[in-house]
Amino acid sequence: MTSLIASPTLTVWRTMLALSVVFVLLATTGWTTEQRPRDGVRDSWDTAMASWRTGRIGARTLPDPASPPTAVAAFFASLKPGQRARLADEHPLVVGNLDGVPVALRYRANQRTLNRALAAERVRVEDRRLSADGHHEAVRRVHRFSSLMSDGRQILAFDPSGNGRVAEVFGDLEKAQRVSVVVPGVDTHLLTFQKTARRYTAPVGMAESLYAAQREAAPDIRTAVIAWADYTAPTGVGMDAATGRLAADGAVRLVSLTGALPGTSRVSLFCHSYGSVVCGLAAHRLPERVTDIAVAGSPGMRAENAAALGTRAQVWAMRDADDWIADVPYLDVGGLGHGADPVAPEFGARLLSADGAAGHGGYFVPGTDSLRNFADIGVGAYDSVRCADADGICRSGIYGAASL
């Protein structure tokens, strides 16, 4: 019996059983939802990039989109206002999604791309060759694009291809002293970017709620919040939700974003569910201006402990008592699973209260400890943070605790 218990075969079977529990939970809790591929063809990055690479402004070639944001920023700073506007109008898909481009110019470019995408989608709505599902999706996209074009909306990134990527800013990003980035999880795409029902489970609702809470917590501090759905999140039940492949790609984009933000604002990341995997993989490459990484309902950060993240940022973690994610096995076997539990004491994160969050999707609901904690972290009011335990240990030894 002793040899059987210690056998590698039994260990493998136990691991496979744990992984099967992961997929059963994903299938039965709503973390993943089946998405059917769309009909039709969308604007192609290949086409946009080909046009950009052959473009000129005067006698000058345009910068390689793979250039560091600092190089892109320097190029655009060297242009006259009319030249910058011309590039935004002629190459909106590239300019609107290129880190290092001035924020106002990205807003302008993305409005132009949205206008084009809306016109194309309206044509699709009238296409009798579409399936019923295809027609329904086209109608939903028309509504989404129309909403994103509403007056006052600041679209920092927009790509309608595939399931789509988008990011929106709340507040004045260029004048902000504190910037918060909301990094959402599985099943995040253009059509789920904003919701009417269950508003605070979608990136826009999360960011709006956090922005309002921060203004209430510190009205004298200039803040901005980014609803960041500018990565390809896992869709449906499958391997992507249990591996880090898409999170690794998202981490590259998150690092680029944080490195390109204007000004000298301090930056905090608020990472929900699979978004915490993205933040975990990005952690060691984030610029020093990122002072805080807070995760909620995390399946793991692909690290065995907070120190292994390799970041100087303070790492915070919370989980509501009713969050089903607690039942997912925290393991990493052959790339499956996302590693240790961030709210386990041995992980070493600063543990926050999430009272009132009510399940996996309730962390940004007004009136909850989770939202109040996020707001306090975002404005640097660390002394006001509510810890998961009564002794307040999560507030001890914080560097740079004074607000700007």
Side-chain angles (χ1 to χ4, degrees), residues 200-363:
Y200 302 112
T201 65
V204 168
M206 293 175 177
E208 285 180 322
S209 182
L210 180 58
Y211 182 56
Q214 289 180 349
R215 296 182 72 184
E216 181 179 352
D220 295 332
I221 295 178
R222 298 189 302 274
T223 62
V225 178
I226 302 173
W228 191 77
D230 193 24
Y231 81 104
T232 301
T235 300
V237 177
M239 297 296 288
D240 283 339
T243 67
R245 181 179 66 88
L246 293 179
D249 292 339
V252 172
R253 301 181 70 83
L254 183 59
V255 170
S256 180
L257 167 80
T258 54
L261 292 173
T264 58
S265 56
R266 298 183 187 180
V267 180
S268 300
L269 306 183
F270 299 95
C271 320
H272 177 244
S273 194
Y274 189 85
S276 66
V277 186
V278 177
C279 292
L281 291 175
H284 70 283
R285 291 170 287 169
L286 294 170
E288 289 190 6
R289 69 190 297 185
V290 178
T291 56
D292 299 277
I293 302 172
V295 303
S298 174
M301 301 180 74
R302 302 194 76 80
E304 62 183 23
N305 52 49
L309 292 171
T311 179
R312 291 186 59 195
Q314 290 147 171
V315 180
W316 308 81
M318 67 171 72
R319 186 171 65 221
D320 183 73
D322 296 327
D323 191 338
W324 57 262
I325 202 76
D327 297 323
V328 172
Y330 285 88
L331 48 80
D332 182 0
V333 179
L336 293 174
H338 301 302
D341 183 355
V343 301
E346 59 270 22
F347 188 83
R350 298 175 181 273
L351 301 183
L352 297 162
S353 169
D355 284 355
H360 190 62
Y363 293 99

Side-chain angles (χ1 to χ4, degrees), residues 161-186:
S161 60
N163 282 340
R165 296 195 299 262
V166 61
E168 182 173 6
V169 175
F170 298 88
D172 190 333
L173 190 58
E174 293 181 292
K175 295 181 179 179
Q177 297 166 289
R178 295 266 181 177
V179 173
S180 297
V181 183
V182 175
V183 184
V186 166

Side-chain angles (χ1 to χ4, degrees), residues 114 117-118 121 141-149 158 190:
L114 272 162
L118 177 60
E121 215 61 45
R141 286 169 68 90
V142 165
H143 292 160
R144 171 64 64 242
F145 298 164
S146 298
S147 175
L148 290 173
M149 293 181 68
F158 175 72
L190 271 174

Side-chain angles (χ1 to χ4, degrees), residues 13-27 329 331:
W13 276 107
R14 284 175 171 168
T15 299
M16 294 305 294
L17 178 60
L19 291 174
S20 70
V21 171
V22 172
F23 289 111
V24 169
L25 283 166
L26 296 180
L331 48 80

Side-chain angles (χ1 to χ4, degrees), residues 26 40 63 77 90 120 159 175 185 218-219 236 238 262-263 303 350 376 385 403:
L26 296 180
E90 292 182 356
D159 178 6
K175 295 181 179 179
R350 298 175 181 273
D376 287 338
V385 166
S403 299

